[in-house]
Amino acid sequence: MRSYPVASVRWLEREGLRGAGHRLAHQDVVGGYLILRDGRNARVFIDDRVDMYPVEVTKDYVALLHAEPRALAVLDRRGIDVVLWQRSLPLATILRTSPAWRQVHRQGDWVVFRRV
């Protein structure tokens, strides 16, 4: 379980950021963890079964994963207001420098951003 953001997911829950009033974007590995942990009740953006998602969702995930120029537009269009991401990946850098986002949590390799 060390490679999963267990503490960051707990923090999101304590802060009320995983509830129905929020839309969370995360990497596929996080989706797999949430499904493992919460079963059918897991609300995920994507998991490692990317072939099971509509093509547009997969394309949007790839845009986030590679921090493509349209990454911020993807978050806007999908109504994402919380992002849980590995801090070493380019999307974290983009969010850290964006005036529309604020880093609100950091635990190990993981960071949480919230829309301002």
Side-chain angles (χ1 to χ4, degrees):
M1 298 298 262
R2 280 184 231 151
S3 63
Y4 295 117
V6 174
S8 293
V9 169
R10 284 187 193 136
W11 183 87
L12 286 168
E13 292 172 338
R14 279 193 312 271
E15 295 297 313
L17 297 175
R18 278 206 63 218
H22 295 282
R23 298 195 67 156
L24 172 68
H26 51 72
Q27 292 162 247
D28 61 346
V29 67
V30 176
Y33 165 68
L34 293 173
I35 290 170
L36 174 68
R37 193 187 97 152
D38 299 336
R40 293 178 187 251
N41 296 325
R43 292 178 52 225
V44 301
F45 175 66
I46 199 160
D47 61 59
D48 58 359
R49 303 169 299 164
V50 294
D51 59 320
M52 302 297 290
Y53 287 86
V55 172
E56 289 306 312
V57 173
T58 302
K59 286 180 180 179
D60 284 351
Y61 172 63
V62 169
L64 297 177
L65 189 61
H66 297 293
E68 293 176 5
R70 68 186 191 95
L72 292 176
V74 167
L75 296 173
D76 291 343
R77 185 171 38 79
R78 294 211 171 264
I80 303 295
D81 66 323
V82 180
V83 176
L84 170 58
W85 216 258
Q86 283 180 301
R87 66 184 175 98
S88 62
L89 294 182
L91 181 62
T93 301
I94 289 172
L95 295 176
R96 204 173 288 115
T97 59
S98 170
W101 292 87
R102 181 176 49 138
Q103 183 176 318
V104 294
H105 174 78
R106 177 178 167 185
Q107 180 72 39
D109 294 335
W110 298 93
V111 288
V112 175
F113 295 91
R114 187 166 185 190
R115 190 178 292 275
V116 176

